[in-house]
Amino acid sequence: MSEPMELINAYMDGRATDDQFVQLVEWIEASKQNARAFQRIIVLEQQMIDDLHRRETEELAFSNKATGGDECDGSGFSQMLAALDDVHGEASAPVDISDVILDRQRKAEAARQSRERSLQCLGGHISPVDTKPRTRHYVIPKPLFYGSIASVVAVAALIIWSLIPDRGQVQPQPQVLGTVVSARGLEWFDDEQSLIVGDSIFAEPMQFKAGTLTIRFAQGGVATFKGPVRFEPSGRNELALQQGSMSAEVPPAATGFTVAVPGGRVVDLGTKFEVDVHESGESEVRVRKGTVRALRIDQKGDILHQLLLNERMAARIDPAAQQLALLESGEVDPGGVVRNQEFVNIGKDAGKARGFGEVEGSPTVCRLGDGRLFAVFNVGYGVVSPPSARYPRGGLLMSAISDDEGHSWSRPRVFFDSDDDDRHPSLARLRNGRIICTFFTFAGDGTRSTQLRYSDDDGTTWSDVGIAFDASNSDVGVAVTELSDGRLAMPVYLQVGIEELKVGVSFSDDGGENWAQPVMIPESSEPVAGEPALIEQGDGRLLVVVRGSRRMVSSESLDGGVTWTVPRTHEFAAQGPSLLQTGKGLLLAYRPALRKPIEIRRSFDGGRTWSKPERFDQYMGSYPEMLELNDGTILVVYHREGLDSDVVSFRIRVTEAGIEKLPL
Amino acid sequence: MSPRQPQRDHTTEMRDFAVLWAKAQSNVTAYVRAAIRNAHDAEDVVQQVAMAAAQDFEKFDRDLSFVAWTIGIARFRILKHLQKESRDRHIFGDSTLQSLADAQVEISTEIDDRRAAIRKCMDKLQPRGRKVVEMRYLRSMKPAAIADQMGSTANAVSSLLSRIRSALASCVNRQLQSMEESS
């Protein structure tokens, strides 16, 4: 689950997924406060760049001063000097003004040569740092710096002024958007239309009654249309399908291939897919391979709702009903789509009932003293739900109870709702009956803190919320584990200094009232990305697995958490991992990557090596947690990702031979 | 009126414009960079904004905010760029751009204080962090290229950049707070 800062960083580094981008837009638009926070980060980046340039320039200036330079007499600059006073008196910051000049220098190439000559004489030692015109920077001695400002700006402005009338005279040329690669049995509505293999495709409406036409778009996407069909290529990697059927096969270079349909869009993320637009205006999209994003949009083109569809999944976009919905099994592909009776929803649409939308996530489950199952999950208006003008209290935690081993769940009720976004709960039931729930709250300004509540009456009443441990905002505690010696252990991840992320384990000797400073796990060769999980093994060894930046890492302690081994890097990625010890091996559930279904592996050597992964749901999922049921089977709870994410569960049986999924 | 007078008026007008633009440019640039992540494309759009603002400067009401006026111009230029030229997969819609424009105008008065704060915070960067931000922002290297040079992974570099930004943001906020308290 992404937090705003993570979303912003992903966007700024150009590595945001479609899902993250939609989340970011939602977050920005949720409140003015969020929009300002976003812009402040952008300003920070821009000023960081400016500062780097300033430092580099100063270093070069120092270097030039040390080495000396040719001198100029300044002749020819009297007008510049005269202009100095005008500007000097009003400019607030020299750096700003120099930015104006430098930008003009970079951009006005036509004027650059003559100006450069003048500027060289200004200082006698203008120092190009980079040979590329766009990134060229200069050092201008301060005595003449301001003098240059007004004149250069004026010159540049005049040049710009003189250039303006010339703009817009370029005549648009018809662009070739693709090429016909196959045309079979085409019967056109319009007798004047005809296409043969090799013909170029332009942005113009096409419609034919029968036959098959295949077009390779300029960016590489291949689309096949079956008559009767109406469509219009609209770009090198996009088209509008008004009615009829088409299929698309999109190579990686054409990722982003887009099919506009009434009231929506289908965006390829590297895949084969099919789209049908019916007479009613409804569209269906089916994914044969890879992933696509189905969007419902408004008349302005803004995204209203989206679904990410993996292989063998399908969705319907209905503009009349203003719906975008996942198609269930049997409707489209009886052989492929997951059978729903194997999954149980927990708190379905609890968020909708709270006026939030349909976002539920990050479930956790434990067994109560009377045998019932108790689940807590977070609910919000988005995947991340900090306070906003519309939702001033942000996301909240809700709970549900099952008295039939997870086959069905009670109507959800509010578990905790602070003024911030309450999220990512973890439950643990101790041997003395106390139930501890840890979670963290996320404020609109990006700060977060780990919280803790406990119940000594099997969940009937709960303590006030307290800070779980004394830590700064950047430290996050995860689930509590009761050890065999009675201590409680809580893995945490912390930001150390300003650049490093580290993982440690905090211990409590008094049932969670007080927590010691975390014992840090040694640094790993694989940078860690947080999300640790801890388990005590039968022989007393403590095992921590951690989400690495690329692959999972793990560390062991043989002395009850006093010291930890140098982390081992495993050969696979595991995000949001959780562990469960069974009589048939140690289980690890996790998400292998964004937009992937959850996986489960098994280890017979205490977590040092792991079996091949097994998947039980086609849908992308996150944050799985496992609980052993009375009959020895395992309940797996997690949430299916997306803007309408649901908390679901399924059941598995672990045998010597492997892991088997069970019908519920 | 001498024949040279119109040219002098025009030059005076441009001087006024240059002074106002110098103050507004950081805000316009930040706003454009929010929507257009390619630095060169963003630079081009900022230039287009400057040109458009210069062209229409006579229409600018001096009683209003020049920053708001130029950011308004920038919003249309960004939309035009995104519609016609952008290769980005992720494009902000009009309503988001309007929200960000409003936000940038609201924070425009903070920008000088923030500049002073970031200078102090940049001094606190560790050598490894400084090297990474220099490669990323001064040399325009992508995380994968940085990782190659540093013997790391692209993910690790991205992660480090993220942490540096977060840390700098916190540092700037602390600096601003202390500036407020001391004033």
Side-chain angles (χ1 to χ4, degrees):
Chain A
M1 185 169 296
S2 303
E3 294 173 9
M5 199 60 207
E6 185 180 334
L7 298 174
I8 294 169
N9 278 316
Y11 171 72
M12 291 172 78
D13 286 340
R15 55 183 169 80
T17 63
D18 292 342
D19 197 27
Q20 286 177 314
F21 183 69
V22 172
Q23 289 176 39
L24 176 64
V25 169
E26 275 195 336
W27 179 77
I28 288 170
E29 296 199 348
S31 73
K32 289 184 175 181
Q33 186 184 23
N34 292 355
R36 286 195 298 270
F38 178 81
Q39 281 303 131
R40 285 190 178 109
I41 296 294
I42 297 290
V43 166
L44 178 105
E45 180 194 50
Q46 191 58 41
Q47 293 183 333
M48 186 164 64
I49 295 169
D50 292 344
D51 192 70
L52 288 167
H53 282 303
R54 180 183 64 84
R55 287 165 193 267
E56 187 180 60
T57 303
E58 284 176 357
E59 284 167 14
L60 282 163
F62 179 79
S63 169
N64 283 329
K65 191 175 179 183
T67 56
D70 298 333
E71 292 189 1
C72 286
D73 60 6
S75 62
F77 293 99
S78 56
Q79 196 172 357
M80 287 185 186
L81 291 168
L84 163 67
D85 293 337
D86 293 346
V87 177
H88 191 190
E90 297 182 51
S92 62
V95 173
D96 282 350
I97 302 282
S98 68
D99 284 346
V100 175
I101 297 169
L102 294 177
D103 274 352
R104 294 295 187 278
Q105 288 171 335
R106 292 181 199 128
K107 187 62 187 172
E109 291 295 328
R112 186 170 58 83
Q113 296 296 330
S114 59
R115 277 210 311 278
E116 191 173 298
R117 195 169 185 176
S118 300
L119 288 167
Q120 275 174 343
C121 213
L122 263 174
H125 41 253
I126 297 162
S127 306
V129 172
D130 193 325
T131 55
K132 289 188 290 185
R134 281 179 180 279
T135 54
R136 185 174 297 219
H137 310 293
Y138 299 93
V139 177
I140 305 171
K142 282 189 175 179
L144 293 175
F145 176 74
Y146 293 108
S148 68
I149 292 168
S151 295
V152 176
V153 170
V155 168
L158 287 170
I159 290 165
I160 290 166
W161 195 274
S162 67
L163 287 174
I164 288 168
D166 296 332
R167 297 179 70 82
Q169 290 186 356
V170 178
Q171 295 299 316
Q173 298 292 324
Q175 189 180 18
V176 175
L177 304 182
T179 307
V180 175
V181 293
S182 172
R184 294 178 185 171
L186 293 177
E187 292 179 32
W188 298 89
F189 284 107
D190 182 349
D191 291 340
E192 291 185 4
Q193 275 193 321
S194 69
L195 283 173
I196 60 171
V197 173
D199 278 356
S200 294
I201 296 295
F202 301 97
E204 56 186 2
M206 295 184 184
Q207 52 179 332
F208 52 88
K209 300 173 194 173
T212 304
L213 174 69
T214 302
I215 296 171
R216 183 185 304 282
F217 281 76
Q219 211 163 312
V222 176
T224 298
F225 304 87
K226 289 180 182 174
V229 65
R230 280 193 297 127
F231 69 97
E232 180 172 352
S234 50
R236 292 161 55 84
N237 206 33
E238 62 188 52
L239 65 101
L241 180 64
Q242 284 108 20
Q243 196 176 325
S245 299
M246 63 157 290
S247 61
E249 184 164 355
V250 184
T255 296
F257 181 83
T258 300
V259 179
V261 297
R265 283 201 299 266
V266 178
V267 181
D268 159 81
L269 301 174
T271 192
K272 291 181 185 175
F273 65 93
E274 299 163 354
V275 183
D276 292 334
V277 178
H278 304 297
E279 280 187 39
S280 63
E282 285 180 39
S283 305
E284 285 177 8
V285 54
R286 296 178 296 277
V287 181
R288 295 299 176 195
K289 187 177 179 184
T291 307
V292 304
R293 182 164 59 120
L295 303 166
R296 189 164 69 81
I297 59 175
D298 63 15
Q299 290 181 336
K300 291 190 297 182
D302 287 342
I303 298 169
L304 300 172
H305 189 188
Q306 74 143 5
L307 284 174
L308 283 168
L309 308 173
N310 282 336
E311 190 172 325
R312 293 183 292 182
M313 295 178 69
R316 177 182 293 128
I317 301 170
D318 185 347
Q322 299 188 339
Q323 278 188 340
L324 167 61
L326 194 64
L327 291 177
E328 302 296 353
S329 60
E331 284 193 64
V332 175
D333 189 346
V337 177
V338 172
R339 288 187 293 124
N340 287 314
Q341 61 266 34
E342 293 178 357
F343 297 88
V344 170
N345 276 104
I346 304 174
K348 173 74 173 167
D349 294 344
K352 200 171 183 177
R354 296 281 300 179
F356 265 150
E358 303 172 19
V359 179
E360 296 96 37
S362 302
T364 178
V365 63
C366 74
R367 186 176 293 282
L368 299 175
D370 61 9
R372 295 178 300 163
L373 302 184
F374 180 64
V376 178
F377 51 94
N378 51 241
V379 169
Y381 58 82
V383 177
V384 180
S385 305
S388 68
R390 189 171 172 193
Y391 304 108
R393 292 173 70 84
L396 71 156
L397 300 179
M398 298 189 81
S399 64
I401 287 179
S402 171
D403 54 14
D404 57 4
E405 293 289 273
H407 286 80
S408 63
W409 291 85
S410 68
R411 190 183 182 85
R413 52 182 287 188
V414 174
F415 176 75
F416 181 69
D417 186 10
S418 75
D419 289 341
D420 297 324
D421 184 16
D422 309 303
R423 47 197 293 107
H424 212 124
S426 291
L427 287 167
R429 186 169 187 274
L430 312 184
R431 287 189 287 275
N432 65 5
R434 172 173 283 191
I435 301 172
I436 292 181
C437 182
T438 48
F439 57 97
F440 63 87
T441 55
F442 190 80
D445 63 1
T447 59
R448 59 192 177 188
S449 61
T450 304
Q451 311 279 349
L452 182 149
R453 294 183 88 187
Y454 61 84
S455 170
D456 290 323
D457 56 8
D458 238 8
T460 305
T461 59
W462 289 84
S463 69
D464 290 338
V465 171
I467 302 294
F469 60 99
D470 182 19
S472 69
N473 283 331
S474 56
D475 304 346
V476 176
V478 198
V480 168
T481 298
E482 186 176 28
L483 304 179
S484 55
D485 61 7
R487 291 180 303 151
L488 303 184
M490 177 164 55
V492 298
Y493 51 106
L494 328 135
Q495 192 164 312
V496 179
I498 70 167
E499 291 155 26
E500 292 181 82
L501 200 64
K502 289 190 174 179
V503 169
V505 181
S506 187
F507 294 92
S508 170
D509 295 323
D510 55 9
E513 299 287 342
N514 296 287
W515 293 85
Q517 282 298 306
V519 177
M520 301 313 296
I521 290 173
E523 199 163 327
S524 164
S525 58
E526 173 85 8
V528 297
E531 299 181 352
L534 179 147
I535 196 166
E536 183 180 24
Q537 314 234 36
D539 58 4
R541 281 186 302 128
L542 301 183
L543 170 70
V544 166
V545 296
V546 184
R547 172 181 176 172
S549 65
R550 199 175 48 168
R551 294 172 295 178
M552 186 180 83
V553 298
S554 66
S555 177
E556 296 176 39
S557 174
L558 307 177
D559 54 12
V562 178
T563 61
W564 292 84
T565 60
V566 173
R568 179 195 307 266
T569 302
H570 298 266
E571 292 302 314
F572 57 93
Q575 302 177 358
S578 69
L579 295 162
L580 180 72
Q581 184 70 59
T582 75
K584 304 287 190 304
L586 178 63
L587 297 184
L588 170 72
Y590 60 94
R591 179 179 71 172
L594 193 65
R595 294 206 306 270
K596 296 290 184 188
I598 64 162
E599 294 179 345
I600 297 178
R601 293 178 188 246
R602 184 158 53 154
S603 174
F604 295 102
D605 58 6
R608 289 168 185 163
T609 60
W610 294 92
S611 66
K612 288 182 178 176
E614 298 197 53
R615 289 185 181 181
F616 303 96
D617 187 359
Q618 299 289 343
Y619 206 93
M620 55 194 178
S622 270
Y623 295 108
E625 199 176 287
M626 298 173 285
L627 178 76
E628 186 159 6
L629 299 173
N630 288 331
D631 63 0
T633 60
I634 310 294
L635 184 74
V636 183
V637 298
Y638 58 105
H639 76 254
R640 286 175 166 176
E641 291 179 6
L643 292 181
D644 57 351
S645 69
D646 290 327
V647 171
V648 297
S649 68
F650 64 86
R651 215 156 51 99
I652 56 173
R653 176 187 291 129
V654 183
T655 65
E656 297 290 348
I659 304 172
E660 175 190 5
K661 186 176 172 193
L662 302 172
L664 286 167
Chain B
M1 182 181 290
S2 76
R4 293 180 62 83
Q5 191 61 40
Q7 179 61 47
R8 283 204 300 272
D9 288 347
H10 183 67
T11 304
T12 304
E13 186 92 327
M14 283 299 93
R15 285 179 186 170
D16 290 348
F17 170 76
V19 171
L20 287 169
W21 176 253
K23 293 178 180 175
Q25 190 197 11
S26 297
N27 285 293
V28 173
T29 302
Y31 176 56
V32 172
R33 283 301 301 271
I36 300 172
R37 296 305 300 160
N38 180 291
H40 295 326
D41 287 353
E43 190 177 302
D44 287 346
V45 170
V46 172
Q47 291 301 320
Q48 290 168 13
V49 175
M51 284 200 299
Q55 185 181 19
D56 288 344
F57 188 54
E58 60 186 290
K59 299 175 188 169
F60 170 61
D61 182 345
R62 306 295 174 98
D63 293 332
L64 301 179
S65 159
F66 185 75
V67 170
W69 184 65
T70 48
I71 282 181
I73 295 171
R75 186 167 73 87
F76 288 104
R77 291 287 165 175
I78 290 168
L79 278 171
K80 192 174 176 185
H81 172 85
L82 295 178
Q83 287 166 1
K84 301 291 182 190
E85 298 171 45
S86 176
R87 291 151 291 180
D88 294 339
R89 282 170 64 191
H90 297 139
I91 293 172
F92 287 135
D94 192 19
S95 64
T96 309
L97 285 175
Q98 184 61 60
S99 300
L100 296 179
D102 293 343
Q104 186 62 46
V105 172
E106 285 172 27
I107 67 169
S108 61
T109 53
E110 305 170 4
I111 211 156
D112 289 336
D113 286 344
R114 287 186 169 274
R115 181 180 294 108
I118 192 76
R119 288 179 180 176
K120 291 181 182 174
C121 295
M122 290 285 282
D123 288 337
K124 297 179 182 176
L125 272 182
Q126 296 299 309
R128 180 180 165 83
R130 178 180 303 282
K131 191 176 172 187
V132 168
V133 295
E134 282 179 356
M135 285 194 279
R136 179 75 183 93
Y137 292 117
L138 216 48
R139 314 288 168 225
S140 298
M141 291 169 66
K142 294 190 172 173
I146 297 170
D148 281 346
Q149 283 211 3
M150 299 188 71
S152 182
T153 66
N155 279 342
V157 170
S158 293
S159 178
L160 179 56
L161 281 167
S162 300
R163 292 203 298 279
I164 290 171
R165 283 194 206 105
S166 297
L168 286 173
S170 301
C171 176
V172 165
N173 288 338
R174 284 196 299 272
Q175 291 286 342
L176 292 175
Q177 200 171 357
S178 65
M179 285 162 70
E180 268 180 24
E181 286 166 359
S182 61
S183 63

